[in-house]
Structures are given as C-alpha cells and as structure tokens.
Amino acid sequence: MLYEMIAVVRPGNIVEVKEIAHKAGTLLLQNGGVIRSLTNWGPFLLTKPVKKHQQKHDSGHHFVLRFDASPVVQEKVRKAVAIDPRMIRCGVVKMVGGDKLVGEHGIKGMSEIGANGPVWRKGEKKDGGLFGSHAVSRTSESEYQHALEVVFDEENVKRRKSSLVSSENPKLAQQATKKRESTSCFVHQLLENQRKSRKSQPAIAHNEDRLLDKTPDTHNQAVHSRLLTKRQLSEMAIGVRELSKKLGSIRLKLLKVKTIFLLTKAHDSDLIGLTRNITEWLLSKERDTYYTVYVENTLEHNRIFDAQGLISKDPSYEGRLRYWDNELCKKQPHLFDFAITLGGDGTLLYASWLFQRIVPPVLSFALGSLGFLTKFDYSDYQDTLTTAFKDGITVSLRLRFEATIMRTQTARNDQKHDLVEELIGVEAENNLTHKPDGSYTILNDIVVDRGPNPTMSSTELFMDEKFMTSVQADGVCVATPTGSTAYNLAAGGSLCHPENPVILVTAICAHTLSFRPVILPDTVVLRVGVPYDARTSSWASFDGRERVELHPGDYVTISASRYPFANVMPQGSSSEDWIGSISRTLNWNSRQRQKSFKEWEEQNLDKKAGGLRE
C-alpha cells in the first residue's frame, strides 16, 4: 500500500531533519518496505484553528517520505518518528489510485508555505502525488544509507528568457537520460543519484521567476547548467565537490567493467604499434574478464595495427574487437565502462571533447611531451592495468565548463542597440534578444580572441546578471583549474590547483596596464560578448577546437558543467602529484640554492697569523 509521511521538525539545524528522515527510511527498509522518494527540506507552516477568526501557527522544517508498506509497518514507522522529541507534528496519508489522498493520521490544516504562498494543500490532486512526475525506482538499504544528495533551497534570481531556451531536441535528451541511468560506471551512478534527488524537489519560485521561465520542458532545464538558478548552480557545484572529496579518499572497484574505450594518436605510427600491444593484452583469454575493446575506426584497416592479424591469432577476438567513431561517442557514451588513452595531454583533451556529457573514468599513459594530466608510464601498462582491475582506482573529478553560443536576433552592426542594456535588462514579452546556437563542454579553456583580424578585439564581460568590464585586448581566456597551466599561464594567469572550484579570467595582451587576471567562484555564470559597435567580429575556440565566429551582438555563456571529467590518479596525495607535475614540466621555482655565510672565526685567524709570524 502506498503512503506519504509528512513530518514537521522544530526549527533548527537542517542536519536534524535529515537524521530523522534517515531514521524513518532505515526502519522502513528493515521491515520490508520500499522507498519511493524522499524530498523537501524547506520551511513549513502548520496552521491550527483555535477559535473563530483566530489561528495558531507553528513553523519548522519538514520532509516528505513516500513509501510502499503494509499498514502494520506504516504504523510502526509513524510511531517511531512521532515520539522523537524534535518533532512538531507527524502525519501519514494513504494514496488511493496514485493521486487521491485519504485521511489516515492526517494533519488537518497543514500546508507547505514558501516565500510565495502555499505550494500544496491537503486534498489537492497532483500527477505523481506531492512530488510531481518522476521515475519510481526501488532503493536498497545500502544505497539509501550511502546516497549522495544535493538539496535545492528556495532562491529567486533573475534569469534571462533567452538563456532558458534549450538548444536540444527534447526526445533525444530524454533518451540520453534513460541511457545514462543504465550505465555501469560507478562515478556517474553517484552523480545520477544526486540528480534524482534534485528532481524530486518541487519547484518553488516567485511570480517573477514563473513569468521568466517559459520553457515547458523541465527535463531539459536539468540538462544545461546555464538554465539553473543561482542557488541550484551553487548546490550543484557543491555536490560535485563533496563527491570529488569522497572519491579522492577511496578506491573504486572495477567489478562491472566489461567494455573498454581505447584512444590513441591515430596519425603516430609508433603509438599505433603500442595500441596494438595493449589491445591484444586486454583481449587475451588470460584476463579474468572477457573485455570488449573499442578502438578508433581508422585502425580497422591500418597496416600497422593489423586487426585481421589479431583475429587470426584467436577467433574469439572478432566479436570483442570493435570500433568507435565520433557519433558513437556522442550518442552512446553509456556504452563504455572504462577509457584508456595513449598519448599526451592533447589526447586526454580529445577524450574530453568526444564525451561531451558522460565521461567514463580515464586512465592515461604518458606518451606525449609534457604530461600534466597523463600520470602513468606505458612501460608498466600490464602491472598498472592489472592493479586497477583487481584492487580498484582512485578518481579525481576535474571541473569542466559548459559554454553556449548565443546569437543575437537583432540586425547586425545595429549601433542603436547596446549589449549591456540587453543582458542586464528585462526582455520584453515574447521577444527574445538571443537564441542558443550550440553548447560545448570543455576541460581546459574557452578563448575569445581577434581571430584573423589585424586589430585587437573588443569584448564585454558579465558576471551573473551584472556588467563586469569591457576588454580591449587580443582576446580573453576563461580557464578551468585544470587549464590554468595551459593558455592561461602563457597569458600571465595564475597557477591553480585542480581541486579549487574557480573560474580563471585572463586578458590576452590587454591594451591597458591595469587589467590583472581575476579568479571567480565556479557558482557564477560568466558571459563574454561582442558589443554591437565593435569594429570587427571575434572568434571563440573551445579547448582549441570548434573555432566559431562571434558577430557583433553575440556572446558566449560560460558556467560550471554538471558533467565533471573523471581522471584516474595514482595512489598518493593529489597535492604532491600536482606540485611534482609543475616542478617537473615547468621547472617551477627552480634555481640554484643560495650559499650560506661562513662564520667569522677570530681564533682561527689568530692561529693563522701566529703561524705566519713564526
């Protein structure tokens, strides 16, 4: 039987609310119940009529637990929660037909009150009950106790209607979500648990926000980080940071890994031979698991790789040696459980570019020039992979950015329009000033520069909904912490530890002596635009790829992506590894040590002088 428990806890630390909810959920699972959803941590107002024209109000925090259980188990859980001294009120309602509420220990006069009035009232019908429409899944006790969640509080931040337009086909986005949920990648299963927790939160917004958000497809709003409110973007970033910290201190067992993605420099003949060696090793029957290995389709008929020669050695390789292309990585990223790259940092960036959303954990063998991100020596690849598959791996989640090109809908070079007024002002009803024209997820940096134009570029920077500054320079580099050692460093930007949740903004050859690199939190939405009165257009590049022209009036929206890059790290401290990388590759702070002073010893001098006199 389906029930919904509504529990109001006295005002206090939000952790107390979660403790009581955890207690109820654990007790329910131990007695054979099934949790459908657990949601809502916001303020709650309890109204009780006392006398005519009078009301008594008790406020607090609350949670709503929806579950399947027998009447006996339901009563047991309700009593266990109700006797907690921190409780104000606890009620259980029975669901009939999936949406009709029938009073059973219900709470009369109870309604959830946000900043904008009641969101739900007892007896009101909703699709899916109190939680809206979302998938119902069975949750095991272990998953429930160790679930990672991101909680969205009520927040009202003005969002541009142009930014709320999705650039994706809703049907394709929905299919991609279903495929993500079926992935066996442990890292992204944790991320999906976070997203499911956020989806269960009911939308609470001011009337102004409801007016601005005209996109009916709420699922697509969960796809792009630029569509989130300020609070949602902050909570999403915090959730990824917490997950990154936990993953950095544990080893992930690769128990379900069966499909391996192999990436190499296809134009480097030396690396093709090494790729063949590692492919043959993975396909060998000596492995504990029969892996399916995907290599780039250009190697299928490559003479050095000699795919037919591999298959002739062992006919069982034919079904397990397969080939990938860009479309396969784009449409079916869930297909790959683990990724291995052979090359340098550029090869790793290409892997990030191929997987714009989900990225399987990537283990990189250093076969390039510098190697900031490639941590493993290929000469030990057999021991490295054997240890990884047997003992597990340590994963570092690297922050990535989501960049969306926004095209102006007004006439080109119309100097009567002002980009600053358009981006910080309120758009007229049904009159969008800009529309999205493609989104990219990057690991290193977004560069907006002058391109082939002989003169410097003119751009304007916006942070959230506020104008930041105008930049007259060769360009602007917006880098992730991982990309701080790339173009950002060459342009005079700061070195930044990859675990810092920041956005680095550096001007490239600025036409002023006062522009200094700035570091912004990863919870802001940055916009880099070309003003309408600019003399020339600018060009945007994303991780050095997909160079796109930005005409006057166009801009690029940059925000933290909800799809971090899972980079496999060697055992040990990540800080020590990073310091070692910059010291090894950049000779950071390397100089001859200063010599010490020699002490002035009068006794020795007297002895020497006496010897001379004798």
Side-chain angles (χ1 to χ4, degrees), residues 252-267:
L252 303 181
K253 291 285 188 177
L254 303 179
L255 302 177
K256 296 182 179 181
V257 170
K258 294 182 179 180
T259 305
I260 298 177
F261 175 88
L262 199 56
L263 175 63
T264 187
K265 293 181 182 178
H267 59 275

Side-chain angles (χ1 to χ4, degrees), residues 80-135:
V81 174
I83 62 175
D84 193 292
R86 296 171 290 186
M87 294 296 303
I88 294 178
R89 205 72 172 273
C90 176
V92 177
V93 289
K94 181 170 63 177
M95 304 293 293
V96 177
D99 58 359
K100 185 178 180 180
L101 298 177
V102 177
E104 182 170 318
H105 304 293
I107 305 176
K108 295 182 179 180
M110 188 180 226
S111 59
E112 181 182 344
I113 304 295
N116 311 287
V119 176
W120 171 80
R121 295 181 180 84
K122 184 175 179 295
E124 187 176 8
K125 294 185 178 182
K126 277 178 175 278
D127 292 335
L130 302 180
F131 309 95
S133 176
H134 63 279

Side-chain angles (χ1 to χ4, degrees), residues 356-370:
Q356 287 288 292
R357 297 276 178 82
I358 287 180
V359 186
V362 180
L363 188 150
S364 303
F365 289 106
L367 291 168
S369 301
L370 288 178

Side-chain angles (χ1 to χ4, degrees), residues 22-251:
H22 184 275
K23 174 183 176 182
T26 303
L27 182 61
L28 180 67
L29 293 172
Q30 290 175 349
N31 287 273
V34 177
I35 295 176
R36 292 297 187 93
S37 59
L38 175 63
T39 185
N40 293 10
W41 313 101
F44 211 106
L45 183 64
L46 179 62
T47 303
K48 295 187 293 184
V50 181
K51 294 182 180 179
K52 190 175 182 180
H53 307 301
Q54 293 183 2
Q55 286 184 330
K56 182 180 178 181
H57 300 278
D58 289 325
S59 61
H61 290 84
H62 79 290
F63 69 87
V64 181
L65 177 64
R66 189 178 184 187
F67 58 93
D68 280 321
S70 65
V72 176
V73 173
Q74 172 270 133
E75 183 66 10
K76 182 177 181 180
V77 175
R78 186 190 68 83
K79 288 182 178 180
V81 174
I83 62 175
D84 193 292
R86 296 171 290 186
M87 294 296 303
I88 294 178
R89 205 72 172 273
C90 176
V92 177
V93 289
K94 181 170 63 177
M95 304 293 293
V96 177
D99 58 359
K100 185 178 180 180
L101 298 177
V102 177
E104 182 170 318
H105 304 293
I107 305 176
K108 295 182 179 180
M110 188 180 226
S111 59
E112 181 182 344
I113 304 295
N116 311 287
V119 176
W120 171 80
R121 295 181 180 84
K122 184 175 179 295
E124 187 176 8
K125 294 185 178 182
K126 277 178 175 278
D127 292 335
L130 302 180
F131 309 95
S133 176
H134 63 279
V136 176
S137 59
R138 190 179 185 93
T139 307
S140 67
E141 182 177 356
S142 176
E143 290 173 339
Y144 177 79
Q145 292 178 347
H146 299 89
L148 300 174
E149 63 176 332
V150 176
V151 179
F152 291 156
D153 295 330
E154 299 93 353
E155 180 72 8
N156 297 289
V157 176
K158 184 176 80 66
R159 292 179 291 168
R160 306 194 71 248
K161 288 184 288 185
S162 296
S163 297
L164 292 171
V165 178
S166 176
S167 59
E168 293 192 354
N169 186 325
K171 293 183 179 180
L172 293 179
Q174 187 175 5
Q175 292 175 2
T177 301
K178 292 181 179 179
K179 291 175 181 179
R180 285 200 305 271
E181 292 174 353
S182 65
T183 179
S184 61
C185 172
F186 180 78
V187 176
H188 290 96
Q189 282 180 349
L190 294 179
L191 291 176
E192 286 300 332
N193 289 339
Q194 289 182 319
R195 296 189 187 100
K196 289 177 182 177
S197 298
R198 290 196 295 271
K199 286 180 182 179
S200 65
Q201 296 284 23
I204 300 177
H206 279 303
N207 292 332
E208 180 182 359
D209 282 339
R210 291 171 181 168
L211 179 64
L212 290 176
D213 192 352
K214 293 182 176 296
T215 307
D217 185 5
T218 56
H219 173 78
N220 277 341
Q221 294 177 14
V223 174
H224 295 291
S225 59
R226 64 183 171 85
L227 303 177
L228 301 176
T229 64
K230 178 70 174 178
R231 173 64 67 179
Q232 289 174 329
L233 185 61
S234 300
E235 293 290 353
M236 181 270 292
I238 292 172
V240 173
R241 290 177 214 159
E242 292 177 352
L243 178 60
S244 180
K245 289 180 181 179
K246 292 186 178 183
L247 292 176
S249 60
I250 62 176
R251 293 180 70 88

Side-chain angles (χ1 to χ4, degrees), residues 325-439:
D325 56 17
N326 293 4
E327 284 299 313
L328 183 64
C329 297
K330 179 180 179 181
K331 295 180 179 179
Q332 301 185 49
H334 66 288
L335 187 63
F336 310 108
D337 302 322
F338 194 71
I340 300 173
T341 66
L342 284 72
D345 292 337
T347 308
L348 192 70
L349 290 175
Y350 185 44
S352 173
W353 182 259
L354 288 173
F355 297 98
Q356 287 288 292
R357 297 276 178 82
I358 287 180
V359 186
V362 180
L363 188 150
S364 303
F365 289 106
L367 291 168
S369 301
L370 288 178
F372 281 102
L373 302 174
T374 51
K375 304 298 183 181
F376 298 93
D377 187 2
Y378 179 83
S379 61
D380 300 326
Y381 79 87
Q382 296 185 7
D383 294 336
T384 300
L385 293 177
T386 300
T387 302
F389 294 140
K390 181 180 179 181
D391 300 332
I393 58 175
T394 300
V395 172
S396 171
L397 290 186
R398 298 296 183 100
L399 172 68
R400 295 202 294 177
F401 288 165
E402 177 191 287
T404 303
I405 299 174
M406 303 296 290
R407 298 293 187 185
T408 181
Q409 299 303 296
T410 59
R412 301 287 185 188
N413 299 319
D414 188 351
Q415 298 187 7
K416 295 181 180 179
H417 286 79
D418 187 354
L419 185 63
V420 176
E421 292 182 358
E422 284 189 351
L423 294 191
I424 66 176
V426 179
E427 293 170 290
E429 184 72 18
N430 298 324
N431 184 20
L432 303 181
T433 61
H434 294 78
K435 288 187 178 180
D437 185 28
S439 294

